[in-house]
Amino acid sequence: MSKIRRQFLSGLLIAGFFLAWQLICVGFGVSDIVLPSPSQIVATLVHDFTAIWPHAFQTLYTTMLGFVLAIVSGVALGVVVGSSRVAYDVANPLLVGFASIPKVAVVPIFVLWFGAGTVPAVLTAMVTAVFPIVVNVATGLATTEPELEDFMKTLHATRLDRLVNVGLPRTMPYFFASLKVAVTLAFVGAVISETVASNRGIGNLMMIASSNFDVPLVFAGLLILALLGVALYAVFSVIESRVTGWATRGIDLASL
């Protein structure tokens, strides 16, 4: 099946989902408080756009800032953890334990340290997104083929040379795969913090709308988050295909 046809079917599925949602709401007379229809959500977006977009921009800003920090720290930790099999085996339980902590539990700590506002949201986005990056970079380095390492050693390459010329390129498919997951998690972390400790952002907007029983506005916030998440996922998918196309070329040829 061609890529264009798959994209067409994907768009058709999305359109069918919203159409079925609209028909159910209209056909069964579902109350706005229970489940607003897609048309009502879009109308809310249009009517309240000037009030919504500053919150959307704030959420996007905090998410991307936290995401960038997660990339920097995640790659650094991943390189350290994946530099040797011993380091990987020793550090992995600690990483799993850290990842198991509900991120909503760290928001009050960040508020105590930095006060309410943007900083806790950025840090929550970072700690939510960093784990997939660390694990994938470390896994990519730890699973580098021994033959490549041995070949570089025969050329008298230093450990840094092996890392730059073999290890890091080998991790690129893992790295970009983790970015697509991490960017969506960063949104989750930012919104969680905004609902608890911020007076701006989509999370805060949704909390206020919920307290006012403005359910269409709550769903409008959800729709904005979904659109932003899908857009960033698509961006990193395109970058991944450009940078790591060599890793999937064999699979593409095999499918012909």
Side-chain angles (χ1 to χ4, degrees):
M1 184 181 294
S2 67
K3 183 177 181 179
I4 295 178
R5 187 177 180 184
R6 291 196 299 267
Q7 291 175 342
F8 173 76
L9 291 177
S10 178
L12 194 63
L13 177 62
I14 295 172
F17 169 78
F18 283 103
L19 178 60
W21 182 356
Q22 179 73 27
L23 292 177
I24 290 174
C25 290
V26 174
F28 291 93
V30 180
S31 173
D32 295 351
I33 297 180
V34 177
L35 181 66
S37 65
S39 61
Q40 292 172 317
I41 297 172
V42 173
T44 300
L45 280 173
V46 174
H47 182 267
D48 297 333
F49 177 77
T50 55
I52 292 174
W53 81 262
H55 293 280
F57 178 80
Q58 174 69 17
T59 297
L60 181 61
Y61 168 73
T62 55
T63 298
M64 295 310 298
L65 185 55
F67 181 57
V68 170
L69 294 176
I71 292 175
V72 175
S73 57
V75 170
L77 288 173
V79 169
V80 172
V81 173
S83 59
S84 69
R85 189 68 192 181
V86 175
Y88 184 82
D89 292 337
V90 170
N92 194 53
L94 179 62
L95 292 175
V96 173
F98 174 78
S100 301
I101 299 174
K103 300 308 178 285
V104 68
V106 303
V107 176
I109 298 175
F110 290 148
V111 173
L112 287 174
W113 289 349
F114 304 102
T118 301
V119 175
V122 172
L123 293 178
T124 307
M126 182 190 73
V127 299
T128 306
V130 72
F131 180 72
I133 299 174
V134 174
V135 170
N136 279 273
V137 171
T139 301
L141 289 174
T143 57
T144 300
E145 291 82 354
E147 294 82 2
L148 295 176
E149 294 278 352
D150 294 339
F151 176 73
M152 292 297 292
K153 290 178 181 178
T154 61
L155 298 178
H156 303 288
T158 65
R159 190 177 187 87
L160 180 60
D161 290 333
R162 297 197 300 269
L163 176 65
V164 173
N165 295 293
V166 175
L168 291 180
R170 176 68 173 76
T171 65
M172 286 298 102
Y174 295 88
F175 173 64
F176 280 100
S178 70
L179 292 186
K180 294 187 293 185
V181 176
V183 71
T184 57
L185 293 178
F187 269 110
V188 173
V191 173
I192 287 175
S193 181
E194 289 172 352
T195 59
V196 176
S198 180
N199 57 2
R200 292 185 297 172
I202 292 296
N204 176 259
L205 176 70
M206 291 173 61
M207 286 294 295
I208 295 175
S210 177
S211 63
N212 293 330
F213 297 98
D214 191 351
V215 181
L217 184 57
V218 174
F219 275 82
L222 291 175
L223 180 60
I224 291 173
L225 292 175
L227 292 175
L228 290 175
V230 170
L232 290 175
Y233 185 96
V235 168
F236 285 109
S237 295
V238 172
I239 297 175
E240 178 188 21
S241 65
R242 300 291 185 183
V243 176
T244 65
W246 54 270
T248 57
R249 190 174 301 157
I251 299 176
D252 293 339
L253 292 175
S255 64
L256 294 177

